[in-house]
Amino acid sequence: MAAPQASLFSEYRLGRAYDEMFAAPAVPRPQYAALYSQLGTLAAAELQRRQQVADRAFLHQGITFTVYGDHKGTERIFPYDLLPRIITGDEWRQLERGLTQRITALNLFLKDIYNEGRILRAGVVPRELIVSCPHYRREMRGLRVPGDRYVSVAGTDLVRLSDGSFAVLEDNLRVPSGVSYMLANRAVMKRTFSRLLARYSVRPIDHYAQALLRTLRDLSPQGRQNPTVVLLTPGVFNSAYFEHAFLARQMGIELVEGRDLFVHDNIVYMRTTSGAQRVDVIYRRVDDDYVDPLAFRADSQLGVTGLFNAYRAGNVALANAIGTGVADDKAVYAYVPAIIRFYLDEDPILGNVETFLLDDPVQRDHVLQNLDQLVVKAVGESGGYGMLIGPHSTAEQRAQFRDRILANPRNYIAQPTLDLSCAPCFLDDRIEPRHVDLRPYILAGQQTVIVPGGLTRVALRRGSLVVNSSQGGGSKDTWVLE
Amino acid sequence: MLSRVADHLYWLSRYLERAEHTARLLEISVSLAPDRTPESASRQGVRLLSALQALDAQRAGQVEFPLLAVDLTVGEREESLRSCVSHARENARQVREQISVDMWEELNRLYLRLNAARDDHGWQEQPEDLFREVRHSVYLFKGMTSSTMVRGEGWHYMELGRFLERSINASMLLDVHLREFHDGLRGQVETVDFVEWLSLLRCCASFDAYVRAHSASIRPLHVLDFLLLNAEFPRSLRFAADRIEESLRRLSRLSGRSSPARVERLAGLLRASLQFVQIEELLNGDLLQTLEHVRRQCRLIHHATYQSYISYQLEGEIA
């Protein structure tokens, strides 16, 4: 094996965290051996050239976000790291089983809490926790959802802990995004490392859109042959608009905005050049609050007036259903292992991260005494906002969070500061380890389909644990081997 | 097809047609500048602004090259090349799922190129290169559209937008030209005016085609006949009217709607006004009025199309 040019890995230091590539200094894990030896033949300048090819591909495809407050409308790409993250076939099969088990249990949980409420009566999950959740929708009580599939599309955030095992950090069950980056990253990888990609037997992911469309069609209201499926987007100013257009094109369905739809006699139509056309299934990328100004936020311009009544009447299906956010509440998260045991009578295949609920006086005291070592998260926030990372915080920030926790304990949870695993990233002219997570996308139709891969997000700032794109994160392609 | 999608495809195509037209006018202005006296160059600047419907009192005095060209290329004004391309791209962005990746990438590349030209003035050394680059990028876009797009509703909305815009642009250009060069239309061109008739042909991308049809002897009568009434030349008003009528007929059939008779009648009138007439008759009558009539018909067709397919009343749509 050719040893990579000394300079490329000269700054590569193994820390406490699990390293995705190296078992020991300069000893790659078997699945990374071919990549490691390939890097041995490449100069930094060649990697820089490929990085430019990749960056230009993203820019030209318009996979960009607009820099706010810049009147010239400058557009930036989301940082893409050149090197793949590799997951072995065995690791993946384990993940697949764990994620399928989890989504199955969560769908049963949603059906239960909006109907009989067995788990609440059994005292496994406190009723107060559910009804106090901002994403709990009383309007969904007793409403039947097609196939009892509340969540059709999930994006679950996984982390790899120092012992090499994967754990779930967060279930995203409302309108998870990022799958277009998973697909775009692979397309760019084919342009930058095509030969390497061919030498590994990487499982393909291109059929995601097809699988998504099948999942959506499965939701069609009864008796509707050949259902019309549409993707509802908040519009071109939404940061995920690229993804909405991308998926609609890949599925060959209409990309609609609220203003394209209208409801008459509890039936949803879209305005077409041939007149009104009935809509059967809506893959909505608009949050609950905004889908229908009549039922939810009256000031919303993004939704469709009367949509919720049409939904109640069973004349249109929504993916995901309304009110699924209650199951990805950060405090409800702590109960997911119990939820799995309750409905499936199985042990969870994928673990949770230890989580302290601040409602509980004992756990709260423990957290308040150890704020400098824990991560505190607001349950209603996402995108890396509303977070305190204890070891990186100032005394002043900790005092602020103490006050906020005491004012509204239900609104916060705490977790130990995790050593997220590290993967090699190409930065400027050398390769260094950076913390990563993994978000696979789960499609729960008549069968559960998980396209082998996911979005690996990278905390590009040295030492940072925050992978969110709004906070200096980037992403890389994820290879799942046969 | 969603009405909103039809709307965006139509405008995407109109804005690109306008960008191509503007780029060509600028390219030819710049390339003929050495052949003109300062005084005739300044008159040409006024004509250029008029043809682009960009002349207002405030700008009447600012027609000196190269400032005018810079302004019309990368300026903030609505008529600038950069504005046209930005508008086209905005429309494309709204219907990205409808157009191919190649089409989007080409348009996006053109947009980024013009934004770069706004911030880096290097192109002003050889401005023709930039104008040619823009034209070629639009050709490439159109070529990809033509070779990959299904000839369904989307295609015909794009065709309709392109040929309506082309008719309006060409009739404005002819209008502005004839207001200044209206003498001796039946004879040979005087040496002084030769460059302007040549410029007119080149502004309509028709010099080569004209020469093949009528040889290099440039007679106003032949030029006008060619640009107004030629049925085979894709830049003539007659050709555009045929395409407009054809696309509207297809749209009516593809939509399955029973009521767009008014749109088709308007298109038929426009085509007939250019089909059953001879250039001699037009010269005997009021040529400027004919051109005005073409523009008015185009506006009416636009409104009638929107009323029939895009912004129609919802009442009566639901059985």
Side-chain angles (χ1 to χ4, degrees):
Chain A
M1 180 193 309
Q5 314 211 342
S7 57
L8 271 183
F9 282 94
S10 63
E11 297 290 314
Y12 205 99
R13 306 264 183 276
L14 296 182
R16 272 182 316 171
Y18 181 89
D19 193 275
E20 297 281 339
M21 185 174 202
F22 291 105
V27 182
R29 299 179 192 281
Q31 68 270 29
Y32 277 94
L35 173 65
Y36 186 65
S37 85
Q38 162 98 6
L39 290 172
T41 66
L42 296 174
E46 174 57 20
L47 288 175
Q48 280 164 347
R49 192 192 62 78
R50 294 185 191 193
Q51 182 76 52
Q52 278 170 9
V53 168
D55 290 350
R56 220 172 14 238
F58 282 108
L59 185 65
H60 285 167
Q61 286 173 56
I63 310 179
T64 52
F65 62 95
T66 308
V67 180
Y68 287 109
D70 181 342
H71 71 284
K72 285 184 174 179
T74 307
E75 294 176 8
R76 297 254 169 81
I77 61 170
F78 286 115
Y80 166 79
D81 181 71
L82 210 51
L83 307 177
R85 187 256 186 95
I86 304 174
I87 294 171
T88 65
D90 286 340
E91 286 171 338
W92 179 255
R93 280 182 281 279
Q94 169 87 350
L95 290 179
E96 203 170 29
R97 277 201 306 278
L99 291 167
T100 305
Q101 177 194 52
R102 197 169 172 104
I103 197 72
T104 308
L106 287 169
N107 266 326
L108 289 167
F109 170 69
L110 283 162
K111 181 191 175 191
D112 188 26
I113 59 163
Y114 284 121
N115 289 283
E116 299 160 69
R118 288 194 299 126
I119 200 167
L120 307 179
R121 276 205 309 277
V124 175
V125 175
R127 185 179 298 272
E128 181 54 29
L129 186 70
I130 299 304
V131 297
S132 67
C133 172
H135 298 294
Y136 175 75
R137 298 288 170 195
R138 208 173 38 76
E139 298 87 338
M140 289 296 289
R141 290 288 300 276
L143 194 151
R144 289 314 295 269
V145 166
D148 295 327
R149 288 187 292 274
Y150 285 77
V151 177
S152 299
V153 184
T156 303
D157 290 342
L158 300 169
V159 294
R160 202 203 276 263
L161 306 173
S162 358
D163 65 357
S165 67
F166 282 97
V168 175
L169 187 60
E170 204 168 293
D171 300 285
N172 295 290
L173 307 175
R174 283 167 277 167
V175 282
S177 61
V179 73
S180 59
Y181 293 100
M182 168 181 93
L183 297 166
N185 286 353
R186 177 62 54 85
V188 165
M189 179 59 78
K190 286 177 180 165
R191 286 165 70 167
T192 46
F193 276 106
S194 54
R195 293 233 297 278
L196 186 67
L197 189 63
R199 266 173 58 203
Y200 273 96
S201 26
V202 178
R203 294 180 62 187
I205 56 175
D206 296 335
H207 54 292
Y208 177 81
Q210 207 187 334
L212 174 59
L213 182 60
R214 195 179 322 120
T215 306
L216 296 170
R217 293 172 71 109
D218 282 353
L219 293 173
S220 177
Q222 281 209 322
R224 297 289 296 166
Q225 309 292 332
N226 247 325
T228 300
V229 183
V230 300
L231 193 158
L232 175 64
T233 173
V236 72
F237 298 107
N238 186 275
S239 59
Y241 182 77
F242 163 76
E243 174 156 311
H244 306 159
F246 179 88
L247 290 174
R249 180 159 49 77
Q250 296 253 313
M251 287 189 281
I253 64 175
E254 297 288 356
L255 176 66
V256 302
E257 297 179 16
R259 57 189 159 130
D260 297 321
L261 300 180
F262 62 97
V263 178
H264 182 80
D265 271 352
N266 281 347
I267 291 178
V268 182
Y269 297 93
M270 57 182 171
R271 178 199 280 270
T272 77
T273 52
S274 312
Q277 188 188 334
R278 182 167 172 178
V279 171
D280 301 301
V281 180
I282 301 178
Y283 177 36
R284 47 101 178 199
R285 297 294 298 259
V286 175
D287 287 327
D288 285 0
D289 274 342
Y290 301 96
V291 291
D292 181 355
L294 215 54
F296 305 107
R297 275 182 67 151
D299 60 344
S300 166
Q301 308 275 311
L302 305 174
V304 186
T305 306
L307 177 61
F308 191 70
N309 276 339
Y311 181 58
R312 279 200 78 93
N315 291 333
V316 70
L318 294 178
N320 291 341
I322 305 284
T324 54
V326 66
D328 70 12
D329 180 280
K330 288 188 171 75
V332 174
Y333 160 86
Y335 291 90
V336 175
I339 289 171
I340 293 173
R341 287 193 190 94
F342 183 81
Y343 294 107
L344 304 178
D345 201 18
E346 295 169 4
D347 281 331
I349 298 167
L350 277 170
N352 256 18
V353 171
E354 187 186 10
T355 301
F356 302 103
L357 298 176
L358 301 180
D359 252 0
D360 179 297
V362 179
Q363 298 187 35
R364 184 164 66 233
D365 281 348
H366 170 78
V367 168
L368 290 176
Q369 278 165 31
N370 294 288
L371 271 183
D372 57 340
Q373 289 163 44
L374 297 168
V375 175
V376 181
K377 296 175 179 173
V379 297
E381 302 274 355
S382 59
Y385 295 104
M387 250 167 92
L388 174 82
I389 299 179
H392 299 176
S393 65
T394 64
E396 192 187 341
Q397 285 169 329
R398 287 195 293 275
Q400 269 178 13
F401 263 79
R402 174 185 300 270
D403 292 347
R404 286 196 226 164
I405 290 167
L406 289 171
N408 187 359
R410 166 67 178 88
N411 198 38
Y412 293 92
I413 56 142
Q415 291 168 336
T417 308
L418 301 172
D419 286 318
L420 304 191
S421 64
C422 284
C425 294
F426 180 65
L427 301 149
D428 300 331
D429 56 359
R430 61 185 179 281
I431 294 171
E432 286 187 38
R434 287 291 184 268
H435 293 294
V436 295
D437 76 351
L438 174 65
R439 178 182 286 186
Y441 294 88
I442 300 131
L443 298 171
Q446 282 175 11
Q447 282 129 19
T448 298
V449 175
I450 309 172
V451 172
L455 183 65
T456 292
R457 297 185 298 175
V458 187
L460 285 171
R461 283 199 284 267
R462 188 192 295 245
S464 168
L465 291 166
V466 187
V467 296
N468 303 82
S469 56
S470 49
Q471 314 267 322
S475 73
K476 51 166 64 217
D477 190 20
T478 308
W479 294 2
V480 172
L481 306 183
E482 292 288 350
Chain B
M1 161 169 284
L2 282 181
S3 297
R4 183 175 54 81
V5 167
D7 176 44
H8 288 305
L9 288 173
Y10 171 83
W11 280 109
L12 158 62
S13 180
R14 276 195 79 154
Y15 275 117
L16 270 190
E17 178 67 25
R18 189 161 176 93
E20 184 199 326
H21 178 68
T22 307
R24 187 179 301 101
L25 260 52
L26 285 167
E27 184 180 341
I28 288 153
S29 288
V30 169
S31 80
L32 292 181
D35 300 338
R36 290 192 169 106
T37 63
E39 197 243 350
S40 92
S42 136
R43 281 213 316 278
Q44 195 271 335
V46 173
R47 286 203 306 280
L48 176 64
L49 283 172
S50 308
L52 295 175
Q53 291 171 289
L55 185 68
D56 57 40
Q58 207 191 354
R59 285 166 188 154
Q62 311 168 339
V63 294
E64 299 301 324
F65 276 103
L67 273 181
L68 177 67
V70 173
D71 195 26
L72 281 172
T73 307
V74 293
E76 292 298 325
R77 55 160 75 202
E78 269 301 293
E79 301 85 5
S80 80
L81 212 42
R82 196 175 59 80
S83 294
C84 289
V85 170
S86 300
H87 284 307
R89 177 178 179 272
E90 265 319 297
N91 279 286
R93 221 153 85 84
Q94 303 264 2
V95 291
R96 275 198 60 170
E97 82 288 2
Q98 300 281 336
I99 60 178
S100 70
V101 175
D102 287 337
M103 285 161 70
W104 163 259
E105 285 193 18
E106 186 52 36
L107 183 50
N108 198 35
R109 201 176 357 246
L110 177 59
Y111 166 80
L112 295 171
R113 175 72 187 96
L114 285 171
N115 272 3
R118 171 191 55 191
D119 303 331
D120 173 358
H121 297 173
W123 63 276
Q124 291 172 21
E125 288 298 311
Q126 261 325 316
E128 285 172 85
D129 291 349
L130 179 66
F131 301 140
R132 195 174 308 116
E133 202 181 320
V134 172
R135 273 197 303 111
H136 287 180
S137 174
V138 176
Y139 292 156
L140 193 53
F141 181 90
K142 287 202 272 193
M144 292 189 288
T145 311
S146 161
S147 57
T148 58
M149 200 165 175
V150 170
R151 298 311 195 250
E153 283 183 279
W155 165 264
H156 287 291
Y157 279 105
M158 290 184 79
E159 286 279 289
L160 180 66
R162 172 195 305 179
F163 284 104
L164 280 177
E165 184 67 30
R166 186 174 293 177
S167 301
I168 294 170
N169 291 339
S171 85
M172 272 312 291
L173 187 68
L174 284 160
D175 187 296
V176 169
H177 182 86
L178 284 170
R179 280 175 199 278
E180 194 158 334
F181 307 100
H182 44 66
D183 295 329
L185 291 182
R186 286 187 174 78
Q188 283 279 359
V189 179
E190 299 292 329
T191 351
V192 213
D193 291 346
F194 182 83
V195 67
E196 301 304 345
W197 284 94
L198 183 73
S199 155
L200 176 68
L201 278 172
R202 289 184 53 193
C203 282
C204 294
S206 51
F207 180 73
D208 294 334
Y210 173 87
V211 167
R212 266 194 300 281
H214 294 285
S215 85
S217 97
I218 293 184
R219 296 168 59 99
L221 189 74
H222 288 159
V223 172
L224 292 171
D225 187 33
F226 196 72
L227 294 182
L228 269 88
L229 303 182
N230 191 301
E232 275 86 38
F233 179 61
R235 304 242 156 215
S236 77
L237 292 177
R238 162 72 199 284
F239 187 93
D242 284 353
R243 305 314 312 152
I244 290 167
E245 191 186 23
E246 170 67 11
S247 280
L248 285 169
R249 195 162 43 226
R250 293 291 183 88
L251 285 174
S252 159
R253 209 175 310 148
L254 288 165
S255 78
R257 288 164 86 82
S258 51
S259 56
R262 179 176 140 76
V263 197
E264 290 183 66
R265 194 176 61 82
L266 288 168
L269 279 173
L270 172 63
R271 191 250 313 144
S273 70
L274 295 164
Q275 182 177 1
F276 304 115
V277 74
Q278 289 184 319
I279 195 66
E280 286 286 350
E281 292 167 350
L282 288 181
L283 285 183
N284 291 336
D286 188 339
L287 203 46
L288 290 177
Q289 216 165 39
T290 305
L291 293 170
E292 171 57 33
H293 169 76
V294 167
R295 292 195 294 275
R296 193 175 55 240
Q297 286 300 111
C298 287
R299 281 194 296 272
L300 290 174
I301 290 169
H302 166 89
H303 287 301
T305 305
Y306 268 64
Q307 270 171 21
S308 296
Y309 301 110
I310 294 173
S311 44
Y312 52 82
Q313 295 289 312
L314 288 175
E315 279 69 32
E317 287 302 322
I318 302 149

